[in-house]
Amino acid sequence: DKDSIADAKCCACDKKWDRYVGKKKCYTCAVPILLCQRCMSLKLDKNDDPAVRLKTRCPLCVKENITKPSFEVTGTRGN
């Protein structure tokens, strides 16, 4: 709906952003996430520091404070 589109933002920096590009996924649950061009260029999802990769979590994982990737919990890797 229009309200959810109006609230769309980059998962890393909270900048208004409503385009899914680059096939980026949540670090913890692997659902598609929105990352703005700037944050994608920083390659936060490829950083060696887990604290930096945590910036690429979906809103639900942030809200629920999920910090461990699902593949570490289940032993499988979601692609």
Side-chain angles (χ1 to χ4, degrees):
D1 69 28
K2 283 188 174 186
D3 289 336
S4 62
I5 292 172
D7 294 337
K9 59 186 175 180
C10 173
C11 286
C13 72
D14 290 333
K15 172 185 172 185
K16 283 191 169 232
W17 190 260
D18 64 358
R19 289 184 288 163
Y20 176 67
V21 291
K23 299 181 181 179
K24 300 301 180 185
K25 296 187 178 185
C26 175
Y27 170 66
T28 50
C29 72
V31 300
I33 59 169
L34 298 175
L35 277 182
C36 70
Q37 288 294 112
R38 181 184 166 280
C39 289
M40 277 199 301
S41 70
L42 294 173
K43 299 183 180 184
L44 301 173
D45 59 326
K46 307 237 188 283
N47 196 293
D48 290 334
D49 183 354
V52 173
R53 287 195 307 260
L54 282 176
K55 293 180 181 181
T56 60
R57 291 182 295 161
C58 70
L60 183 58
C61 285
V62 171
K63 180 181 176 184
E64 297 293 323
N65 198 28
I66 308 297
T67 58
K68 195 166 196 129
S70 60
F71 68 86
E72 287 183 9
V73 175
T74 63
T76 61
R77 198 175 272 277
N79 291 330

